[in-house]
Amino acid sequence: MRAVHARPQPLARSARHALWASAGSMGFVAIVAATPNSPFPAILPRDYEPTGPFRWLGDLLFLPHLGHTPLMVLGLLAMVSTGIAFLLVLREAWHGRLSMRAVAIVAVVFHVVVLTLPLLFSRDVYSYGYYGRIVSTYNANPYITTPKDFHLNSLFRYTWPGWRGTPSVYGPLFTWISAAITTVTKSVPGLIDGFQVAAAAASLATMAVVARTVKRARPERAVFAAAMIGLNPVVVFHVVGGGHNDAFLALFLALGVMALYAGRDTWAAVALGLAMSVKASAFVPLVLLIVAIVAKAPPAKRTRTAITVGGLASATWLVFALPFLQRTNWSLGLVDVAGNDSWMAAGQIVVRVFSLAGTLLGGAPVAGTMETLARLILFGTAATIIVVLARRIWLDPAARRPQALVAAWGWGFLALLLLSPVMYSWYLMWVLPIAWALPRVPRRAVVITSAVLVASQLVTESAKLPGDLSHVNLAFGHPVTIAVALWVGREFLRSIRDHRGWDEDSPGPAFGDRFEDGTPKVGPQPRMTPGHSSAPARRSPALPAGLSSPEAATTPLA
C-alpha cells in the first residue's frame, strides 16, 4: 500500500506576515533600482535601460522626477526594510513556523525579480567579462595581461579604473566560466545578463543542496538554513544582482558539506578543490578537511593519505590552472588580493592606525612599511586561528564529527572575513551555506552582518553622491563589522578556554537569546495508510539550541 502524504499545513499568521514583509521590502528595493538615476545600479551601456513592471511602478510613483539625494534616502529606507524583514523571516524559520515549500517558492520569485533589474552595486561583472574575453577573444593569459593591453575592447570604459591595469585575481575555473560566457554572448548587456543568470542559478542550487543536507543532518534547522540563502537580501541584490562569482564558491562548498555528511571525504576534498578554483579563500575549509581525513587514518597510512587527498584536491585545481601557469604571476593573483582594501572591513582600523603611526614617525615611506606590517599581523592572526582549529581537529576525534568540522570551517571563514583588510557584502556568501552548523554567537553574527551590510552600500557610483558626501571616506571599517569581530573573537577565546566543541554553545545568556527563544520544531511527518507503522519516529531528548545529538551529527546521508 502507498503512503498518503499530508497536505501542506497552512502557515501561521506571523509567518505569513513575515513573508509579506519580505516580499514588500524586496519589491520596494526593486522599484528604486529600476528607476532612472537610481543610486543602486553600476554604470550601464546607453542602450541598457531598465524596463518591466518595477520601472512602470516607479513611473507611476513619479520617482524619475526625484533628484539623487531623495532617491538615495528612499533607497536607504528600502534597504533597511529588507534587513528588518529578513530578521523576521529567519525568526519564523528558526521556530518552525515556515515551510520549506514556502521558502523555496519565495526564493525563486526573488531571484527571478532581480534578473529583471540592471547590474547592481558593483562593476565586477565587467572585469569578469574582460578576463574572459582575454581568453576567448585574444587567446592570451589574463594572469599576466591586463585590460589595458586590450584597451580598444568595448568593456574598457565600463571597467573600474583601478582594475584596468590589474591581472585577474580570480580562480582558474571561474576564468574558464567567464570565457564560456563571453563566447556565447558578445554584447555588454548580454554579458551582464549572462553573469547574473549564472549567479542566480548557482545561488538557487546552493539553497537546494543545503536544504537537502540539513534536512537529513539537522531537520529542525533545514528551513532556517534555506532561508539564510534564498531569502537573504545580500544574496538576492548584492550577489545575484551584481553577478558575483561568490555564488559558485558557495555551491561547491555546499556540495562539499553534502559529501562530508555522506561519508565521502574524498569527494568533499574534490568539491573544495573546485571551490578554491573559483576563489582562493576556499583553502580554509580545504586545509581543515585534509587535517581531519589524515587524523582519522591509521598512523602508518597518514603520510600516504595526506599525499593522496592533498594531491587530489591540488590536481582538481591544476586541471583548470595549468594553461595559465607561469613564473611572472605564479600565485595567479593571490598575492595581489592580499594588498586590497575596502572600507567595510573591520581590519581596516588596524591598517589605518599603523599607517597614521608611520606617517607621524617618518612620512609616506614609513607609512607604507607600517601598512604592510599591519596586513602581516592581520593575516597572521587569521592563520593562527586556523592553526588552532586544525590542532583541535587533529587531537580530538569529536572535532572530526561532520557538524563540528563544518562549524570549524565557519569559524575559519569568519576569521578570514573579519580580520582581512578587504571585505565586501557579497563575501558573506562564503559562510552562508554552513551558518546553520555554527554555535549561537557566530551564527547570530552572520545573521546580523547580513541584515546590516545590505544597507551599507547605497551608491555604486560615487559621482551620484550628493554634494560634499562624495569626498567622505570611511576608512576605518564598518562599525558593525568591528563590533561583530570583537564579539566573535571573544567567543572564540572562550571556546578554547572551556575546551568546547566548535559546534557547541557557550553557557549562560547571550545577545539574541530572545530572538531564538525556544527549540526549533520539526515539520509535520507524512501520514501512512493502514498496514504501515504510524508510530512517530523515536526522537532523542531535547538539547539546548546549538547542540546536536551524536546521531544527528554523525549519521551519513543516503
Side-chain angles (χ1 to χ4, degrees):
M1 300 182 69
R2 293 182 302 174
V4 178
H5 295 281
R7 293 182 179 180
Q9 299 294 317
L11 297 178
R13 179 181 298 179
S14 59
R16 294 198 303 270
H17 290 171
L19 286 178
W20 278 113
S22 181
S25 63
M26 292 288 193
F28 189 5
V29 174
I31 291 172
V32 175
T35 300
N37 297 322
S38 169
F40 294 163
I43 183 173
L44 299 169
R46 293 181 179 178
D47 57 345
Y48 190 75
E49 286 291 333
T51 58
F54 295 102
R55 169 67 186 275
W56 305 334
L57 287 172
D59 291 343
L60 288 175
L61 296 172
F62 299 101
L63 297 190
H65 301 286
L66 298 178
H68 290 311
T69 301
L71 273 177
M72 190 175 73
V73 173
L74 201 62
L76 173 62
L77 295 175
M79 282 302 188
V80 169
S81 69
T82 63
I84 295 173
F86 178 58
L87 294 177
L88 296 176
V89 165
L90 286 187
R91 190 173 193 276
E92 297 303 307
W94 182 259
H95 287 286
R97 292 190 288 264
L98 273 182
S99 67
M100 185 67 74
R101 181 172 180 268
V103 170
I105 291 173
V106 176
V108 170
V109 171
F110 286 174
H111 282 64
V112 171
V113 164
V114 80
L115 293 180
T116 68
L117 302 177
L119 181 65
L120 301 177
F121 299 115
S122 171
R123 294 196 201 180
D124 282 1
V125 158
Y126 300 133
S127 294
Y128 299 163
Y130 226 128
Y131 297 131
R133 283 185 177 180
I134 288 175
V135 175
S136 63
T137 302
Y138 302 109
N139 197 28
N141 189 337
Y143 295 97
I144 56 176
T145 59
T146 71
K148 279 187 177 180
D149 296 319
F150 309 97
H151 61 276
L152 297 180
N153 194 281
S154 59
L155 286 172
F156 190 80
R157 67 182 298 264
Y158 303 109
T159 303
W160 193 267
W163 291 107
R164 291 172 181 170
T166 304
S168 176
V169 295
Y170 307 111
L173 172 56
F174 184 71
T175 298
W176 288 115
I177 293 174
S178 300
I181 292 175
T182 56
T183 300
V184 172
T185 179
K186 301 296 184 182
S187 68
V188 177
L191 287 178
I192 295 172
D193 294 340
F195 283 105
Q196 285 183 323
V197 169
S203 172
L204 290 174
T206 302
M207 183 187 70
V209 172
V210 168
R212 183 177 184 272
T213 302
V214 184
K215 190 174 181 180
R216 297 188 178 189
R218 293 208 65 177
E220 75 279 8
R221 293 190 181 184
V223 178
F224 171 84
M228 276 291 290
I229 300 169
L231 305 186
N232 194 322
V234 167
V235 175
V236 174
F237 293 115
H238 291 258
V239 177
V240 178
H244 286 286
N245 58 9
D246 304 85
F248 290 96
L249 185 151
L251 175 58
F252 293 127
L253 178 65
L255 290 172
V257 174
M258 174 180 279
L260 183 67
Y261 270 94
R264 300 173 180 176
D265 295 350
T266 302
W267 284 109
V270 171
L272 294 183
L274 292 171
M276 192 171 172
S277 300
V278 174
K279 273 195 170 180
S281 54
F283 82 93
V284 172
L286 179 58
V287 167
L288 297 179
L289 174 65
I290 292 174
V291 170
I293 294 174
V294 174
K296 288 191 293 186
K301 297 183 178 180
R302 283 177 175 172
T303 301
R304 180 180 177 182
T305 301
I307 294 174
T308 301
V309 178
L312 184 60
S314 300
T316 303
W317 178 84
L318 193 61
V319 165
F320 303 101
L322 192 59
F324 303 125
L325 292 180
Q326 25 63 45
R327 294 182 180 179
T328 304
N329 184 8
W330 58 271
S331 68
L332 299 189
L334 180 60
V335 174
D336 295 332
V337 171
N340 291 337
D341 296 289
S342 69
W343 74 271
M344 289 185 187
Q348 273 298 305
I349 191 170
V350 178
V351 174
R352 296 309 175 191
V353 168
F354 273 60
S355 177
L356 178 60
T359 301
L360 295 175
L361 290 173
V366 179
T369 303
M370 293 295 285
E371 282 192 20
T372 301
L373 177 61
R375 294 176 191 278
L376 290 175
I377 291 173
L378 290 169
F379 287 117
T381 304
T384 301
I385 291 173
I386 294 168
V387 169
V388 171
L389 294 167
R391 184 176 182 273
R392 173 78 65 81
I393 292 168
W394 179 264
L395 296 175
D396 185 2
R400 299 193 286 270
R401 293 180 296 111
Q403 183 164 317
L405 182 56
V406 172
W409 297 359
W411 281 107
F413 268 140
L414 285 175
L416 191 63
L417 281 170
L418 296 174
L419 290 173
S420 172
V422 56
M423 176 185 179
Y424 296 101
S425 54
W426 45 89
Y427 286 7
L428 289 174
M429 192 69 181
W430 305 351
V431 74
L432 292 181
I434 53 180
W436 60 271
L438 287 166
R440 59 181 178 178
V441 169
R443 183 179 66 247
R444 292 169 186 175
V446 176
V447 171
I448 292 169
T449 309
S450 295
V452 171
L453 289 191
V454 71
S456 296
Q457 186 176 351
L458 298 175
V459 177
T460 306
E461 306 295 335
S462 58
K464 293 184 179 181
L465 282 169
D468 294 335
L469 283 179
S470 59
H471 304 293
V472 175
N473 183 19
L474 301 178
F476 291 95
H478 195 293
V480 171
T481 62
I482 294 172
V484 164
L486 295 174
W487 188 34
V488 172
R490 175 177 175 269
E491 183 67 12
F492 183 75
L493 293 175
R494 292 180 64 188
S495 296
I496 297 174
R497 182 197 66 190
D498 299 338
H499 303 285
R500 292 197 310 271
W502 299 129
D503 59 327
E504 294 180 7
D505 286 334
S506 57
F511 178 77
D513 282 345
R514 293 187 63 182
F515 179 84
E516 292 184 355
D517 183 33
T519 303
K521 302 175 183 178
V522 179
Q525 301 296 318
R527 292 180 298 178
M528 308 295 290
T529 57
H532 290 262
S533 174
S534 59
R538 183 177 62 87
R539 297 177 62 184
S540 57
L543 294 172
L547 294 178
S548 62
S549 65
E551 293 82 6
T554 59
T555 302
L557 299 183

